[in-house]
Amino acid sequence: MNLRYLPLSLALVALPMAILAFACLAAEIENEGEAVRAADLEMSKMIATRDVEGFKALVAADGFFMTLPKPAQGPDQVAATWAAPYLDPESGHTLEWAPKEVTVAGSAELAYTIGDFVYRLEVPDGEPRSATGSYLTVWRKSEQGRWQVVADGSLMARDPLPAGFSLERLNRLARGWAPLAEPGAGVAHERHPVQVGVAQSGDLAYTFGDYTIRATDAAGKTRSASGAYFTVWTREDEGPWKAVAESILPPQPNEGEKK
């Protein structure tokens, strides 16, 4: 054997193998993307048909949904709070949605979807009411191979995300919380992540936590309000993490600071 040609021989063998491995990975991610899309549509169907157990089976044990006054966590709590109006046939509430975008991590066990929803309320002896919007859902593949929700909420911001909350945006979220509307108010914002999920491939992650905003008026009096958020992060080639989508609950005035 001529050893001088061994590296080239190995290269000629390794290159097709690498291409094949890449193609297999791409096919797996595409297949999982379709599975995530199907799970998203299935959850919408469970709400439409008021299938309580079917809905709960799609929520992870640690999964949370953004609902006021604070997020609901776990299948039972989510079904009893966030989903309760839609699962009750007598409530008149209906909710439908469909994903527009599906992104799957390179390790194919974490993903997120972005889509549009339509909410309707049938009012006795009145005109039906409706509202539309966008949503953000993070999915994780269970040990049993089923995709389940670990985070869900209304989509509040897309890439590029602002560096921080603007006074105008916070005031809109707070629905006119007085301290933010005061002329010359100084505003401080803090975040406290309490749950983090990172894909094994290191290219997709989410953070969930609480935030607090403080507004100080001209007289030096400070008042605060708090809420919850979750953010989806991505990165390429082990570069810096970048926030690409976010859901935020409106801030609620803290105890003793009601409007």
Side-chain angles (χ1 to χ4, degrees), residues 62-256:
D62 59 344
F64 57 85
F65 280 55
M66 303 289 263
T67 184
L68 291 172
K70 62 181 181 180
Q73 189 164 35
D76 291 335
Q77 192 177 98
V78 170
T81 55
W82 181 90
Y86 315 119
L87 294 172
D88 179 3
E90 305 299 326
S91 70
H93 297 268
T94 61
L95 182 66
E96 299 175 357
W97 68 85
K100 295 192 303 181
E101 303 175 31
V102 180
T103 301
V104 181
S107 46
E109 94 286 14
L110 194 68
Y112 72 92
T113 53
I114 289 175
D116 296 327
F117 67 83
V118 178
Y119 163 78
R120 296 183 179 88
L121 174 61
E122 295 294 332
V123 181
D125 303 322
E127 288 292 326
R129 302 172 187 174
S130 64
T132 60
S134 299
Y135 68 90
L136 171 65
T137 306
V138 180
W139 299 82
R140 184 179 64 214
K141 196 174 185 181
S142 71
E143 294 181 357
Q144 292 73 36
R146 184 168 195 177
W147 285 98
Q148 295 177 309
V149 176
V150 291
D152 178 86
S154 295
L155 179 66
M156 300 299 297
R158 287 295 310 274
D159 180 34
L161 295 182
F165 287 100
S166 68
L167 180 62
E168 178 184 358
R169 185 170 176 225
L170 271 175
N171 198 37
R172 185 170 66 250
L173 280 172
R175 296 186 177 90
W177 186 48
L180 291 179
E182 293 174 1
V187 178
H189 166 239
E190 298 175 356
R191 291 194 176 201
H192 313 282
V194 297
Q195 184 172 320
V196 179
V198 183
Q200 295 177 12
S201 51
D203 57 352
L204 179 63
Y206 72 93
T207 53
F208 163 68
D210 303 315
Y211 70 87
T212 300
I213 52 174
R214 294 180 175 85
T216 303
D217 61 22
K221 182 179 179 179
T222 299
R223 285 174 284 182
S224 65
S226 299
Y229 73 94
F230 78 87
T231 307
V232 173
W233 305 79
T234 62
R235 69 173 177 174
E236 297 180 0
D237 301 323
E238 298 186 357
W241 285 100
K242 296 182 179 180
V244 294
E246 188 169 67
S247 180
I248 309 167
L249 281 181
Q252 304 297 303
N254 289 326
E255 195 64 31

